[in-house]
Amino acid sequence: MSSNSIANRSLPLLVVINGFLVVALGAFGAHGLKSLIAPEAMQFWHTGVRYQMFHVVGLLVCAFFASGCEDRPHAVRWAVGAACLFILGMVFFSGSLYLLALTQQSWLGMCVPIGGVFFLLGWISLAVCHFRRRT
């Protein structure tokens, strides 16, 4: 399967799934968890939701960039790579914050910076994609 078909099929689906998840997780935190966990744990939850939402927008940009450059496979590969890095960032950054809020296991805090690095690498990859689209 080529990068173009992966991008055209998978990236919009990733945007939709993660957009749904972030709204559901935000609502669950605001309505279901508020009375069950400590206020400082709620801060972890809210930070995870906020960063996941930012990176849903990043996934949307990946899908947009990839769809506009079918004739530039290198650019598409960078967009798909950026999307993969954003997903890894969501799992490590937001996912570990969700688990930290629910379990209070402090070792989960070590996963947050790993997710942050994935997010940063994803934005760099998206910048490379942008420049590859233009050349």
Side-chain angles (χ1 to χ4, degrees), residues 10-33:
S10 301
L11 290 181
L13 184 60
L14 283 173
V15 172
V16 171
I17 290 169
N18 279 284
F20 176 88
L21 283 174
V22 75
V23 172
L25 288 166
F28 177 67
H31 302 292
L33 286 180

Side-chain angles (χ1 to χ4, degrees), residues 42-123:
M42 274 311 296
Q43 286 300 104
F44 294 139
W45 190 271
H46 289 308
T47 299
V49 167
R50 188 170 47 253
Y51 275 79
Q52 186 173 357
M53 180 56 87
F54 294 154
H55 290 88
V56 167
V57 174
L59 286 174
L60 185 61
V61 174
C62 292
F64 175 76
F65 278 8
S67 70
C69 56
E70 290 84 4
D71 59 333
R72 294 180 182 88
H74 292 296
V76 173
R77 280 193 283 271
W78 281 99
V80 170
C84 291
L85 289 164
F86 287 153
I87 294 295
L88 285 169
M90 288 180 199
V91 169
F92 279 89
F93 189 94
S94 296
S96 61
L97 286 174
Y98 298 145
L99 289 172
L100 179 60
L102 293 173
T103 66
Q104 298 298 304
Q105 297 293 313
S106 61
W107 65 268
L108 289 163
M110 293 185 296
C111 297
V112 176
I114 296 167
V117 170
F118 283 130
F119 284 152
L120 292 170
L121 292 172
W123 288 109

Side-chain angles (χ1 to χ4, degrees), residues 4 32 36 75:
N4 287 353
L36 298 176

